[in-house]
Amino acid sequence: MFDVLSPMPADPILSISVAAAADPRTDKIDLGVGIYKDEAGHTPVMRAVKAAEFAYAGLEETKKYVSTTGLEAYNSALLSLILGDMDLSRFATAQSAGGSGALRLGAELIKRSSEGAQIYVPTPTWGNHTPLLGSAGIEMKKYPYYDREALDVDFDAMRAFLNATPKAGDVIILHGCCHNPTGADLSNAQWDEVSDILTARGLIAYVDLAYMGLGDGLEEDCYGIRKLAVTQEEMLIAASCSKNFGLYRDRTGLIAVKTKTADQAKVAKSHLGLIMRRMISMPPNHGAAVVAHILNTPELRADWIAELNEMRERMNGLRRSLAYGLDVQGHEEMGAALARQKGMFSMLPVTPEQAAKLRDEHSVYLLNSGRINIAGAAQDDIERLSKAILSVF
Ligand code: LMR
């Protein structure tokens, strides 16, 4: 049976960090996969997570199943964190196996709700969006987003496209903040415009929120998603706790679906539970239990926010230093772009050949698209990194 299978290509994101780990050079800089690292190159378990894990281990009295839609204390605490003080009765929620699990659950729900709906992703987008969402059997399309010459959002092209091409009921993937892979985010005024276009054209927003708190701050990063949650009759949110709680391997995510009425939200929830049952039966509990404990315990919540702020500040400091390094060596435009971009990623305007040269000759590991994870560097790396980048032009 299995002898018909041929080998699959390595994942273009994950394979970069695998190659970096195998590189014996001691001065290598791994800017590949999107994980936070501290100055020592370590991805720590956050303080509040450790404390919640100890507390939870003592509190947990059983390992019996929770439910197909997961832990309600987690679902509601995380959705309230994202949306702030608003009525959530029209939202159906389900805990998911990471943000990716949430994206897939949402895609399966879209497929059940509308046979003909197409999903539009920005160009470029996270490399796994199209395979992951498309695996639900939905036709995947693209909309213009980033201008590789201007190193910024091409909002004129995005606006013109959304106003003309998708049809009512089509789904538009929007990165809530810290756009992956470019770091180029919509301004608040642009979010307002997108909201008006979606309303006018009957398009459905599907917001991928994987980096909340790592751009400008917890509240600031939620401007767009909160705007849409108020203005849109229906929408979807896929949230991840991988990066902002550092729970990567614990697969902790949330799908939230806004429906037209509270009764429809109950129906949508029953579908999410059924989809989950047919895919993996139930989501894993540990990460969600930890997040619920943190968000519902004031001291832990405050300490989690403090550490999240420290992580963001470290990344912003690296971003400023690299921007300065590029700027003083005569690449003002690249420096300025880096400085205004947000979150973990930026996309350097390099060709795949230049990216390979950076890996081979300078032991600087970035994706072929030019995406760098700024958190992969240490302050001491920045001078060498900026010189290496400029040497390939
Ligand atoms: C990334 O973009 O590097 C992360 O989201 C990790 C992944 O699964 O691709």
Side-chain angles (χ1 to χ4, degrees):
M1 173 193 237
F2 303 117
D3 52 357
V4 300
L5 299 176
S6 50
M8 291 287 106
D11 183 88
I13 297 178
L14 306 178
S15 60
I16 296 295
S17 291
V18 171
D23 186 340
R25 288 174 288 186
T26 51
D27 62 349
K28 63 195 173 188
I29 307 173
D30 178 7
L31 310 178
V33 70
I35 51 173
Y36 177 78
K37 291 184 195 164
D38 62 19
E39 266 305 292
H42 181 57
T43 302
V45 179
M46 292 178 79
R47 297 186 298 261
V49 167
K50 256 291 175 244
E53 284 181 322
F54 276 119
Y56 183 67
L59 294 173
E60 192 175 40
E61 286 175 348
T62 178
K63 293 280 185 192
K64 70 183 179 152
Y65 296 124
V66 178
S67 81
T68 55
T69 50
L71 198 63
E72 282 314 313
Y74 162 82
N75 293 345
S76 57
L78 187 58
L79 190 59
S80 298
L81 179 76
I82 296 167
L83 295 182
D85 189 17
M86 72 175 278
D87 174 20
L88 303 179
S89 61
R90 284 171 55 191
F91 281 87
T93 54
Q95 183 193 319
S96 60
S100 299
L103 284 165
R104 182 61 187 271
L105 280 173
E108 296 286 345
L109 189 71
I110 292 164
K111 178 82 180 164
R112 281 172 167 257
S113 310
S114 167
E115 238 342 281
Q118 299 175 329
I119 298 184
Y120 284 82
V121 292
T123 313
T125 195
W126 177 46
N128 205 27
H129 263 154
T130 295
L132 190 153
L133 295 160
S135 293
I138 300 181
E139 193 177 347
M140 298 297 297
K141 295 277 179 85
K142 294 177 182 175
Y143 66 85
Y145 183 79
Y146 186 70
D147 181 341
R148 268 186 85 100
E149 295 287 309
L151 308 176
D152 211 342
V153 176
D154 186 351
F155 194 67
D156 287 343
M158 177 178 174
R159 179 205 291 116
F161 186 93
L162 293 183
N163 267 322
T165 306
K167 60 184 189 317
D170 281 344
V171 176
I172 312 298
I173 296 286
L174 297 156
H175 295 230
C177 62
C178 310
H179 182 267
N180 180 2
T182 67
D185 280 350
L186 298 177
S187 67
N188 289 356
Q190 289 168 340
W191 275 111
D192 292 347
E193 260 198 78
V194 167
S195 159
D196 289 344
I197 296 170
L198 298 181
T199 306
R201 303 219 54 243
L203 305 174
I204 309 290
Y206 191 168
V207 184
D208 185 353
L209 189 66
Y211 297 87
M212 176 181 54
L214 293 171
D216 287 325
L218 269 178
E219 295 289 314
E220 294 85 342
D221 291 350
C222 290
Y223 178 86
I225 202 164
R226 289 182 185 179
K227 173 85 189 185
L228 298 180
V230 170
T231 59
Q232 303 305 296
E233 276 285 281
E234 298 182 309
M235 71 178 291
L236 300 95
I237 298 168
S240 168
C241 298
S242 293
K243 329 277 168 162
N244 50 12
F245 283 86
L247 286 167
Y248 310 89
R249 65 174 62 167
D250 287 327
R251 311 310 297 135
T252 311
L254 176 78
I255 177 76
V257 181
K258 186 180 181 194
T259 59
K260 288 181 184 152
T261 66
D263 282 343
Q264 281 174 2
K266 291 192 188 110
V267 176
K269 189 167 179 107
S270 73
H271 281 261
L272 289 172
L274 190 84
I275 295 165
M276 179 71 85
R277 182 79 174 137
R278 290 180 181 177
M279 277 170 62
I280 58 168
S281 186
M282 312 211 188
N285 177 65
H286 180 80
V290 164
V291 169
H293 191 75
I294 292 172
L295 293 179
N296 291 322
T297 309
E299 313 83 73
L300 291 185
R301 186 181 176 113
D303 193 41
W304 168 67
I305 293 174
E307 192 171 357
L308 183 65
N309 292 344
E310 290 161 22
M311 288 159 62
R312 185 179 63 249
E313 280 312 311
R314 185 183 117 70
M315 290 198 300
N316 287 343
L318 288 164
R319 194 174 267 296
R320 281 191 298 273
S321 302
L322 185 56
Y324 179 76
L326 295 171
D327 185 78
V328 293
Q329 291 176 72
H331 273 255
E332 295 89 354
E333 281 173 16
M334 217 197 302
L338 246 108
R340 75 175 165 264
Q341 291 163 355
K342 314 264 177 168
M344 214 172 247
F345 305 117
S346 276
M347 203 156 84
L348 301 176
V350 294
T351 61
E353 292 72 31
Q354 288 168 323
K357 202 166 175 194
L358 276 163
R359 292 195 295 269
D360 296 345
E361 295 177 13
H362 301 274
S363 53
V364 170
Y365 283 81
L366 73 169
L367 305 194
N368 277 338
S369 64
R371 189 190 86 170
I372 56 168
N373 167 14
I374 192 79
Q379 276 292 350
D380 283 351
D381 294 328
I382 294 296
E383 197 183 333
R384 185 170 89 75
L385 178 59
S386 50
K387 286 193 176 131
I389 291 170
L390 296 182
S391 77
V392 301
F393 283 96

